[in-house]
C-alpha cells in the first residue's frame, strides 16, 4: 500500500516531529525505538497500516530507527485519492454523522473514507441510562459496540483518546495550493491521523471540581461507566441495610432533567428502604422544561416522598470521619448525631441561595452529582496563533450556521463541542435532540463541501421534551400540540417508541424492538396472574 503523506502534508506534521524529538516522554511515554505494525488495542478492529514519516516505508515488520530519526506512526488511509473524514467522538453527533455520510449517494471518486474515533468501545444511548438502574433495559440494548453497529458499513472505528489537534486549513477551503490536507490529529497511542475534513463531536463530562469534596465523594451520572458505578453502590447499600431499620440516604445534587429523572428512578428502586433528597439552587425543578413535564414530575416525586431542597447550593462535601475529627471546631456535632455514622457516610453543607432560608447539614450514604459540564475538546498543538480554535467561555467551539468552526472551513463541530445560537440569539442546549439533528446537517454539509455545492444553514426544530419517571411512568410534551402532556404508562410507552425509532441502525432497532416486546409480554402475563391470584384469594 502506497504511503499516504506527500512532501507538502509532511510539512504540516513538522510541529509533531518537533514535539516528539524534544518532549517525547510527555506525549507518548511508552514510545520505543522499535516501531511495530500498530498498537495492541487495534487488534480488535480492522488493522490499519502505519508508515514512517522519514522514509515512507510501511512498518509491517519490526525495524530499528535512529534516535534522531524517530517519528510517530502515521495512519495510512486505504485509498489515497478519496476524501478523508475523521470524526472525533462516537456519541449522537459523531456516530450519526458517520451513518449519515454512509447513507448518502456519492460519485464513485468522491465517496469519503470515514474514520470514527472514540475512547469507549460502545455507543451509549444516554437518555436511557436511567433504565439500567431500574432494570428495565439490558446494557446491550442501549450500549451496543461500535464494531457491531458499523460492521456492514465502510466506516472504520478506532478505540483511542485524542491527544492533540493540529489544523492547517486556515489558508482557505482548499488548504494550501500544494496539499488538500486539512490538518492532523495525534492520538494517545502515538498514532497520527491526517485528514481532509474533521468533525468535532467529543461530548462533555460532568464538572465535579466546582465544589470542595465533590470530585472525591460524589458520583456523576453521564456515562455507561457512571451508571455501573451507581448501580454497584446501590446494590452494596441494599445488601448492607437489608433487614435493618436505618434507611438508605441518597442526595441528588441538581434538579434539571437529569437530576429529576435520577431522583425518580432511585426513589422507585429503593421504595420504603430509602430516602432521596434532591437539591437545587433554583426555587423550582426543571426550570426550562414545559409546564406539563414539570407538573408531572412534581406529582411523581411527591408520591414517592422525595424531599426537595430548593433554593440551596452545596458549599462542600465531606466524609463523616473527617467531620468527626473537626466537629468540635465546626459545631456540626451539635446539629447532627454523626457518632452513629460510619466512614462511608458523607456530609453535605448547604448554603441558601434565597433570602429567608437557613443553612442546612445533610447526611447521605450516596451523593449523585448532575450539575455542570465541560466540553472534551482536544488541546491544540502549541505553535502560532493561526491554528487556534475560537472558543466560548464554556470551552465550546464557535461555529457558523453551517456548523463549520469559524476560521476553519474544514472543521465541523456539533453537540457539546459546538457553540451555536438559534434565531433569537440563545445558545442551543446540549441535548441529544440537538446533536441528533446537527448530525443530519453535518453529514449533508460534508457531502456538499466535498462536491462543491452550497452548504445548508442548521435550523433546530424542537420536537418536544421527554423525561422518564420510573419503570412505567414518564412525561412527554410534544411541541406540535401545545399544552399536551402524556403522563404515566401512556407517556412511558410513547417515550420508548420515540427512542426505539432513534436507535442507530435498522438491525439494532429490530433486535431491541423484539427484546422490549418480549419483556412487555412477560410483564403483562405476570400482572394478569397477580391480579387473578388476588381475586381468587379474596373470594
Amino acid at each position: 500500500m502506497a504511503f499516504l503523506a506527500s512532501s507538502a502534508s509532511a510539512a504540516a506534521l513538522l510541529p509533531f516531529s518537533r514535539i516528539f524529538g524534544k518532549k517525547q516522554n510527555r506525549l507518548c511515554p511508552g514510545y520505543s525505538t522499535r516501531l511495530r505494525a500498530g498498537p495492541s488495542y487495534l487488534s480488535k478492529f480492522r488493522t490499519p497500516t502505519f508508515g514512517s514519516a522519514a522514509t515512507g516505508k510501511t512498518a509491517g515488520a519490526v525495524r530499528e530507527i535512529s534516535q534522531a530519526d524517530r517519528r510517530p506512526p502515521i495512519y495510512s488511509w486505504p485509498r489515497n485519492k478519496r476524501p478523508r473524514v475523521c470524526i472525533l467522538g462516537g456519541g449522537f453527533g459523531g456516530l450519526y454523522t458517520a451513518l449519515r455520510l454512509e447513507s448518502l449517494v456519492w460519485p464513485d471518486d468522491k465517496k469519503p473514507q470515514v474514520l470514527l474515533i472514540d475512547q469507549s468501545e460502545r455507543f451509549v444511548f444516554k437518555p436511557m441510562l436511567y433504565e439500567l438502574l431500574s432494570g428495565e433495559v439490558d446494557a446491550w440494548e442501549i450500549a451496543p459496540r461500535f464494531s457491531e453497529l458499523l460492521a456492514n458499513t465502510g466506516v472504520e472505528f478506532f478505540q483511542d483518546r485524542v491527544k492533540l489537534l493540529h489544523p492547517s486549513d486556515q489558508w482557505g477551503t482548499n488548504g494550501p495550493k500544494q496539499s488538500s490536507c486539512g490538518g492532523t490529529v495525534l492520538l494517545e497511542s502515538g498514532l497520527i491521523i491526517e485528514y481532509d475534513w474533521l468533525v468535532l463531536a467529543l461530548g462533555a463530562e460532568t464538572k465535579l471540581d466546582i465544589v470542595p469534596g465533590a470530585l472525591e465523594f460524589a458520583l456523576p451520572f453521564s456515562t455507561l461507566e457512571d451508571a455501573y458505578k451507581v448501580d454497584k453502590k446501590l446494590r452494596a447499600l441494599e445488601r448492607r441495610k437489608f433487614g435493618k431499620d436505618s434507611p438508605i440516604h441518597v442526595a441528588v445534587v441538581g434538579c434539571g432533567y437529569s437530576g429529576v429523572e435520577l431522583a425518580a428512578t432511585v426513589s422507585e428502586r429503593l421504595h420504603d428502604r430509602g430516602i432521596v433528597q434532591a437539591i437545587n439552587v433554583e426555587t423550582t425543578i426543571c426550570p426550562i422544561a414545559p409546564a406539563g413535564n414539570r407538573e408531572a414530575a412534581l406529582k411523581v416525586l411527591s408520591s414517592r416522598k422525595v424531599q426537595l431542597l430548593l433554593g440551596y447550593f452545596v458549599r462542600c462535601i465531606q466524609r463523616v470521619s473527617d467531620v468527626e475529627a473537626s466537629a468540635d471546631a465546626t459545631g456540626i456535632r451539635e446539629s447532627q448525631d454523626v457518632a452513629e455514622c460510619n466512614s462511608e457516610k458523607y456530609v453535605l453543607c448547604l448554603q441558601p441561595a434565597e433570602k429567608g432560608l437557613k443553612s442546612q447539614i445533610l447526611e447521605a450514604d450516596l451523593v449523585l452529582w448532575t450539575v455542570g459540564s465541560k466540553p472534551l475538546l482536544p488541546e491544540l498543538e502549541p505553535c502560532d496563533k493561526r491554528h487556534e480554535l475560537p472558543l466560548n467561555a464554556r470551552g465550546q467551539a464557535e461555529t457558523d450556521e453551517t456548523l463549520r468552526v469559524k476560521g476553519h472551513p474544514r472543521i465541523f463541530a456539533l453537540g457539546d463541542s459546538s457553540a451555536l445560537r438559534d434565531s433569537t440569539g440563545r445558545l442551543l442546549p446540549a441535548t441529544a435532540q440537538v446533536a441528533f439533528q446537527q448530525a443530519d446537517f453535518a453529514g449533508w454539509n460534508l457531502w456538499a463541501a466535498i462536491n462543491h455545492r452550497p452548504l445548508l444553514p442548521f435550523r433546530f426544530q424542537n420536537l418536544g421534551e421527554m423525561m422518564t419517571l420510573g419503570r412505567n411512568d414518564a412525561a412527554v410534551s410534544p411541541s406540535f400540540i401545545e399544552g399536551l402532556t402524556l403522563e404515566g404508562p401512556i407517556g412511558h410507552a410513547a417515550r420508548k417508541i420515540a427512542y426505539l425509532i432513534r436507535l442507530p441502525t435498522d438491525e439494532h432497532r429490530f433486535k431491541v424492538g423484539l427484546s422490549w416486546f418480549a419483556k412487555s409480554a412477560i410483564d403483562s402475563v405476570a400482572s394478569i396472574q397477580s391480579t387473578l391470584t388476588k381475586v381468587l384469594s379474596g373470594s
Side-chain angles (χ1 to χ4, degrees), residues 74-207:
I74 303 172
Y75 172 61
S76 183
W77 295 81
R79 298 177 179 84
N80 292 342
K81 295 183 180 180
R82 293 277 183 91
R84 301 163 297 180
V85 177
C86 181
I87 300 176
L88 304 181
F92 280 98
L95 175 63
Y96 285 67
T97 296
L99 294 175
R100 175 63 168 156
L101 288 171
E102 185 74 11
S103 69
L104 294 171
V105 178
W106 297 86
D108 291 338
D109 59 339
K110 292 292 184 68
K111 184 175 182 178
Q113 307 166 86
V114 181
L115 178 61
L116 178 66
I117 301 170
D118 194 89
Q119 64 185 13
S120 172
E121 67 172 349
R122 294 176 180 270
F123 163 75
V124 181
F125 201 95
K126 290 187 176 182
M128 299 197 75
L129 277 177
Y130 311 95
E131 277 83 343
L132 275 182
L133 292 184
S134 65
E136 192 174 350
V137 301
D138 297 321
W140 70 267
E141 296 171 342
I142 64 166
R145 288 183 171 85
F146 287 108
S147 56
E148 297 172 0
L149 295 175
L150 302 174
N152 297 321
T153 71
V155 179
E156 296 282 347
F157 171 69
F158 286 176
Q159 183 184 349
D160 207 335
R161 292 176 183 266
V162 181
K163 187 78 175 183
L164 288 176
L165 178 64
H166 180 77
S168 58
D169 60 346
Q170 52 274 51
W171 291 276
T173 302
N174 294 322
K177 292 182 180 179
Q178 64 269 35
S179 174
S180 64
C181 175
T184 51
V185 175
L186 175 64
L187 305 181
E188 281 194 352
S189 62
L191 179 66
I192 282 181
I193 308 293
E194 190 180 44
Y195 65 84
D196 298 319
W197 306 90
L198 182 70
V199 178
L200 298 175
L202 287 162
E205 66 180 3
T206 305
K207 190 173 177 62

Side-chain angles (χ1 to χ4, degrees), residues 433-434 436-437 460-466 476-481 502:
Q433 183 180 180
V434 172
F436 182 84
Q437 294 185 29
F460 172 61
Q461 183 180 3
N462 187 359
L463 302 177
E465 299 187 26
M466 302 183 290
V476 178
S477 295
S479 61
F480 47 85
I481 304 179
R502 289 193 176 185

Side-chain angles (χ1 to χ4, degrees), residues 387-453:
H387 299 269
E388 290 185 355
L389 298 181
L391 304 180
N392 66 0
R394 292 188 58 197
Q396 298 168 306
E398 295 279 359
T399 62
D400 61 21
E401 59 181 4
T402 66
L403 301 178
R404 290 190 297 188
V405 176
K406 293 179 179 178
H408 293 271
R410 288 182 173 269
I411 303 178
F412 290 79
L414 52 158
D416 294 287
S417 298
S418 169
L420 185 63
R421 301 184 181 276
D422 60 19
S423 56
T424 65
R426 292 184 302 178
L427 202 64
L428 287 176
T431 63
Q433 183 180 180
V434 172
F436 182 84
Q437 294 185 29
Q438 286 179 335
D440 190 49
F441 275 77
W444 173 261
N445 281 343
L446 279 165
W447 182 94
I450 292 171
N451 289 284
H452 307 290
R453 301 290 182 86

